[in-house]
Amino acid sequence: QVQLVESGGGLVQAGGSLRLSCAADGRTFSSYAMGWFRQAPGKEREFVAAINWSGRRTYYADSVKGRFTISRDNAKNTVYLQMNSLKPEDTAVYSCAARRSLVATTTPYDYDSWGQGTQVTVSS
């Protein structure tokens, strides 16, 4: 497994932007597909975005498509989630996850390692 640490969450007004980062330990980061998921109070964890090992293929939930961008820097062992045009309904704990595969999926059960999560709160 790989250790993951998220950062970049916070409080922002609707329409604002945040950039989340997820740093991974280990030397095999490029062997992992990465994903971002979120969980709001009283709701199930939901898929947000995912990226394959090279960064050439990305996947997004319909609710964030066109507003969020996932990217990765394998030299820095880091995956990012740029979030623009934030809405109050984006408020949740955001967690990054690693899947020991070159191929990303949208299913949380496919991921082997999880970070602790970072809170994102969007005020109206």
Side-chain angles (χ1 to χ4, degrees):
Q1 289 190 341
V2 60
Q3 299 296 318
L4 304 171
V5 179
E6 302 97 335
S7 61
L11 174 64
V12 64
Q13 287 188 333
S17 298
L18 283 174
R19 188 195 196 200
L20 305 184
S21 299
C22 173
D25 69 356
R27 302 177 182 178
T28 59
F29 180 70
S30 61
S31 300
Y32 289 84
M34 300 296 295
W36 285 96
F37 296 82
R38 68 186 181 187
Q39 188 167 19
K43 294 187 177 182
E44 292 187 354
R45 178 179 285 169
E46 66 173 351
F47 167 74
V48 176
I51 189 166
N52 77 335
W53 70 278
S54 67
R56 293 175 182 169
R57 297 205 68 173
T58 58
Y59 308 86
Y60 296 95
D62 288 342
S63 59
V64 307
K65 203 170 292 184
R67 299 189 296 123
F68 291 10
T69 302
I70 188 171
S71 61
R72 65 189 296 161
D73 185 338
N74 287 343
K76 296 183 178 180
N77 287 4
T78 302
V79 63
Y80 306 96
L81 185 67
Q82 177 67 44
M83 305 185 295
N84 299 329
S85 302
L86 282 160
K87 304 175 181 179
E89 51 263 44
D90 294 319
T91 295
V93 175
Y94 285 70
S95 299
C96 69
R99 178 175 191 243
R100 192 165 178 83
S101 169
L102 302 183
V103 179
T105 73
T106 64
T107 305
Y109 303 106
D110 289 339
Y111 289 79
D112 311 300
S113 303
W114 291 83
Q116 296 277 42
T118 185
Q119 177 70 46
V120 171
T121 303
V122 184
S123 63
S124 57

